[in-house]
Amino acid sequence: MAEAAVDSPMEVVQALADEAMPDEAGLGCLVSLPGELLEYILCSGPLTATDILHVASTCRRLRELCQSSGKVWKEQFRVRWPSLMNHYSPTDYINWLEEYKVRQKAGVEARKIVASFSKRFFSEHVPCNGFSDIETLEGPEIFFEDELVCILNMEGRKALTWKYYAKKILYYLRQQKILNNLKAFLQHSDDYESYLEGAVFIDQYCNPLAEITLKDTQAQFDSIVELVRKALRGLNSRHPSLTFRAGRSSMVRELDLQGQVLEAMNYVLYDQLKFKGNRMDYYNALNLYMHQVLTRRTGIPISMSVVYMTIARQLGVPLEPVNFPSHFLLRWCQSTDRANLDIFDYIYIDAFGKGRQLTVKECEYLIGQHVTPALYGVVNVKKVLQRMVGNLLSLGKREGIDQSYQLLRDSLDLYLAMYPDQVQLLLLQARLYFHLGIWPEKVLDILQHIQTLDPGQHGAVGYLVQHTLEHIERKKEEVGVEVKLRSHEKHRDVCYSIGLIMKHKRYGYNCVIYGWDPTCMMGHEWIRNMNVHSLPHGHHQPFYNVLVEDGSCRYAAQENLEYNVEPQEISHPDVGRYFSEFTGTHYIPNAELELRYPEDLESVYETVQNIYSAKKENAE
């Protein structure tokens, strides 16, 4: 006997959509089904929120099944915005229909703001007050952030301008929230010793688009602690650390038992997991980001010390941080008399050097100099974070390729959050913003603050105030948009168009054109320094603004550029500022760039047809 055909959930749902019409017989058949089956059907199919509203309006039974706090609307919310479900507690009462409406409204508002940014800020960096619209939005900020993430995760090579500004807005929102949390964290008393939490704040601030949480980071440490416990069990099956519960502060008092913990830690960290100090790439900011240290299993002395100390404390060994010059260390007390300790009552641990245990004399050998006893003292969380941020600040000053100086800007923000009256750093921040030509109003605010703190800085402050005010006045005098027509007589020598992927003949880099001038528009000093006069056509030839694959922006002479016969995407952070899409052969300008070069797109199509289509035909 043949089995009766069983409809798939999708077919049943389609039948439901058909039945949810004013056909009384069909509707009666439908509502006679058991409630759990009806709920399953409503949750399993491709029904939209609008469909659910229609279904709920057909009769009382279906309306009760589709109640605002029930499973049907919860499933609608989950399917539409799955990442948001982590923000709800299973035990809380949630009006899922209302949450759906609020989230949908937040998405509409987010897209309106993102769409407006290109037109408002195409010609300049987004100013400080450019984000004011976002700060006044109604509804949970997490909904707005989620919509920005959805924009960033849009597939393909389209919507590049939307992604560019969504990234900037999300970057700003998250950094503001993290900075506020860090400031609150710094208000704790000195005996609050969550070094890991502080390190995670630094990591989050410098990587706001990464999903970094203290909970996830702590989970990684818990996994390492379990491995250490397993190794410790082999050394001493009755060791007290084996019974310590996660999240509770416990201490092992006997030195020999503490030593067994450190022995097990060294085996797990350096032999089993292969953690090591990063001697080959020491001056890399990744060495200071906790999630990168755990993933790459390498770091510098201070980050390795935070890892080592966090694990040791979870297992009952009270190691302490030592702000030793040139090489951060930990100390391990060897005396039971806590009242009269000196520097010789400690063993010093070099987490960067595979947990090596050092005497005072060996510490001095390590850095090649004698130091005062005060430098062997323990430091609090704020001092540890100050040193971590200070390292990032030094790296930020060394930046070459990243012309936005993002690391320097982030580390200055962090340092000034801890020490807001550091005059020299405030002056550096004002000079940096002035150099980048961004946020002139904020520059003036910083300079006023410096003048209040230290009137002796009036020379440097006065110079920057004068030139910042001149910059503001020049911006006010700018009129309209400069439109460049290829058909104009003075542009007859311009051969290339915006959006084309080019190659530099001399230096070999790949780039995309985002602007051009009929002749070199730079000053005499730049022309002399770049040795432009040595070119066959000198400065009397078209020059092109290009975004280079290494992240830099350059101004290249026409005779130095050629078509890239194998065009590829240019990985530059500002591509989305100028272009909306990459087609595989060229970039399509966004509305603002096309407004400035209205005839270039047609020229690009002709070039692509002549260069790349001909190449394809020859290959075939």
Side-chain angles (χ1 to χ4, degrees), residues 291-328:
H291 81 286
Q292 291 286 359
V293 172
L294 293 173
T295 300
R296 300 161 73 235
R297 299 183 181 179
T298 189
I300 59 175
I302 191 167
S303 57
M304 295 290 288
S305 293
V306 171
V307 170
Y308 198 97
M309 177 173 57
T310 301
I311 295 169
R313 288 187 170 201
Q314 286 190 224
L315 291 165
V317 182
L319 300 184
E320 298 173 304
V322 178
N323 205 12
F324 205 63
S326 304
H327 199 102
F328 201 89

Side-chain angles (χ1 to χ4, degrees), residues 461-523:
V461 169
Y463 174 85
L464 286 172
V465 167
Q466 177 186 343
H467 285 79
T468 301
L469 289 173
E470 291 174 357
H471 171 76
I472 293 173
E473 287 303 314
R474 284 196 301 271
K475 293 295 291 183
K476 290 179 180 178
E477 293 171 1
E478 291 180 0
V479 291
V481 172
E482 182 184 6
V483 177
K484 295 181 179 179
L485 301 174
R486 298 181 62 83
S487 58
H488 196 284
E489 176 63 20
K490 67 178 181 179
H491 299 151
R492 65 182 183 277
D493 294 330
V494 176
C495 295
Y496 307 131
S497 307
I498 57 168
L500 287 176
I501 310 297
M502 309 298 291
K503 194 177 191 70
H504 197 280
K505 295 178 182 178
R506 182 177 179 183
Y507 299 118
Y509 61 71
N510 298 314
C511 58
V512 56
I513 296 171
Y514 70 95
W516 49 257
D517 297 309
T519 60
C520 182
M521 300 300 290
M522 302 299 282

Side-chain angles (χ1 to χ4, degrees), residues 43 73-83 85 96:
C43 291
W73 277 109
K74 180 179 180 179
E75 183 64 11
Q76 280 289 318
F77 191 94
R78 186 197 68 79
V79 170
R80 183 79 180 274
W81 303 292
S83 62
M85 297 304 293
W96 291 106

Side-chain angles (χ1 to χ4, degrees), residues 535-573:
L535 296 173
H537 297 288
H539 67 282
H540 296 296
Q541 61 174 310
F543 272 69
Y544 297 84
N545 301 103
V546 294
L547 302 176
V548 184
E549 58 192 345
D550 65 4
S552 64
C553 303
R554 305 192 188 183
Y555 196 49
Q558 180 166 281
E559 64 183 79
N560 282 337
L561 295 176
E562 62 183 356
Y563 296 118
N564 190 325
V565 294
E566 296 181 353
Q568 54 190 291
E569 281 190 270
I570 303 299
S571 298
H572 191 286

Side-chain angles (χ1 to χ4, degrees), residues 134-148:
I134 303 161
E135 295 171 344
T136 58
L137 283 174
E138 297 180 1
E141 187 176 288
I142 189 63
F143 286 178
F144 188 78
E145 284 191 18
D146 187 65
E147 186 64 30
L148 296 174

Side-chain angles (χ1 to χ4, degrees), residues 388-405:
M388 293 185 79
V389 174
N391 286 337
L392 288 171
L393 193 57
S394 298
L395 294 175
K397 293 176 182 178
R398 295 160 60 105
E399 281 183 332
I401 291 177
D402 182 7
Q403 296 182 351
S404 70
Y405 292 92

